[in-house]
Amino acid sequence: MKNIFLYFMLVFFFTNCTNSKKEKTTDNSTKSTNWELVWSDEFNTDGLPDTSKWNYATRGNSYGWGNNEKQWYTVADSDNCYIKDGKLTITAINEPTSGKDYSSARLTTKGKGDWKYCKVEVKAKLPTGKGTWPAIWMLPSESLYGNWPKSGEIDIMEHVGYDPDTVHSTVHTELFNHTIGTQVGKPSYLPTATSDFHTYTMEWDEKEIRSYVDGMEYFRFSNNGEGYGAWPFDQEFYLLLNLAIGGGWGGKHGIDDSLFPHKYEIDFVRVYQKK
């Protein structure tokens, strides 16, 4: 009897352990079979970013990118942008650079990764401190309906250092944008945004845009059928990753120079499209 009892106890223990392991390794973000991976960067090769996938954006350096930003974005400078140990790190440094007080980096996939309707997943850990403004976002590849905001902008994740426990997702269109007081977006409380890695996800189809943190939806913007003024999101967009310093939003409460350098770490970027 003792041997039979021991046998059943061992079977019970083994079954529970096996089920527990299966539950822990289930990835909620990939449960759906409707999405197929079409583009990714796992940052597995040390060095500068892969130029077959990424560009360095610098065009707006001279005028602060329209936001009165205080950084100068550099090109292929390992001090500001480097891959090591499976992670991309964008670093903002307090140093005089081309007439600005700070240097940083801004990466885009334009011409190397452009999609109409997709799912984007980025796992990242954000910097902390007043003056920082990291983002994961998308802009139109051709701007079919005119200059910003007519052709749209999708902000998958934005974070400002003076509000460290909150991330934001927003859209900008001709009819819905902050310059006329009609911006549409939503914050999500995330107290470990600057201490832990989190997965930021956006799903976009012809009907709506949905934003998630770690698989939990917190923002949804729907196509109301009123045309491109409200919904310019029927064209190809490309992805951007950047760490800005200061600016109209990021610098709203000043910049704390004592906390530099700031590091924005990205574990992976994955883009899916419907099968």
Side-chain angles (χ1 to χ4, degrees), residues 20-59:
S20 177
K21 288 179 181 178
K22 286 181 180 177
E23 290 173 3
K24 288 181 181 179
T25 57
T26 298
D27 184 351
N28 292 330
S29 66
T30 57
K31 277 185 176 180
S32 173
T33 58
N34 295 327
W35 296 101
E36 180 179 16
L37 185 68
V38 295
W39 190 99
S40 68
D41 200 335
E42 304 294 327
F43 305 115
N44 288 330
T45 302
D46 289 0
L48 294 169
D50 183 349
T51 54
S52 71
K53 296 181 178 181
W54 300 101
N55 312 295
Y56 298 92
T58 61
R59 185 178 178 183

Side-chain angles (χ1 to χ4, degrees), residues 78-89:
S78 59
D79 289 339
N80 296 120
C81 193
Y82 197 76
I83 298 168
K84 187 175 181 180
D85 298 330
K87 294 181 181 63
L88 167 70
T89 300

Side-chain angles (χ1 to χ4, degrees), residues 34 145 175 188 193 199 237:
N34 295 327
Y145 302 116
L175 296 180
S188 179
T199 300
F237 276 60

Side-chain angles (χ1 to χ4, degrees), residues 91-94 102 127-132 161-162 164 243 245 254-263:
T91 304
I93 303 171
N94 183 359
Y102 311 92
T128 183
K130 286 194 298 184
T132 57
Y162 68 82
L243 173 52
I245 300 298
I255 301 171
D256 187 344
D257 286 344
S258 70
L259 299 177
F260 283 82
H262 288 291
K263 296 184 181 297

Side-chain angles (χ1 to χ4, degrees), residues 138 141 245:
M138 302 185 80
S141 301
I245 300 298

Side-chain angles (χ1 to χ4, degrees), residues 208-226:
E208 59 189 14
I209 292 167
R210 302 172 295 276
S211 297
Y212 307 77
V213 176
D214 297 331
M216 299 294 293
E217 181 182 332
Y218 73 98
F219 173 60
R220 182 178 294 221
F221 179 73
S222 298
N223 182 354
N224 63 11
E226 294 182 3

